[in-house]
Amino acid sequence: MFIKIIFSSLLLISLLGITFNRYNIIILLMCLELIFISLSTLFALNTTYIVVSIIILAIAACETALILSLIVSFYKIKGNIGIKSLNILRG
């Protein structure tokens, strides 16, 4: 029961981090990863959802690799990785 409270509070903290973050894309990525890890742990506490937990962790790892490669390439082109400078990605 105590573990559910801890990971539910981590989920709430990460959702608040995404809501109130306006400038730093690295903090946004860390909050997104914290959401995936807390949801995966909450699913893994129930023994019937262990496969779902593994799938969530695999999706989180792929998402992290893709976003980090995009951030590195964007930094090489633009020299800045702030959220305000991402407006050139619009069509």
Side-chain angles (χ1 to χ4, degrees), residues 4-76:
K4 287 183 181 180
I5 293 171
I6 289 174
F7 284 104
S8 297
S9 64
L10 282 177
L11 181 66
L12 180 66
I13 289 170
S14 61
L15 286 174
L16 288 174
I18 287 178
T19 303
F20 293 122
N21 183 23
R22 295 180 188 253
Y23 300 110
N24 197 349
I25 198 164
I26 301 295
I27 293 175
L28 189 71
L29 179 64
M30 287 172 42
C31 290
L32 191 62
E33 285 302 311
L34 191 60
I35 286 175
F36 283 136
I37 289 171
S38 61
L39 281 178
S40 173
T41 307
L42 286 173
F43 277 134
L45 290 176
N46 192 356
T47 57
T48 58
Y49 293 118
I50 291 177
V51 175
V52 174
S53 173
I54 293 171
I55 290 172
I56 288 174
L57 286 176
I59 290 172
C62 294
E63 176 260 338
T64 301
L66 181 67
I67 288 181
L68 283 176
S69 66
L70 286 173
I71 287 173
V72 167
S73 65
F74 188 74
Y75 182 75
K76 285 182 180 179

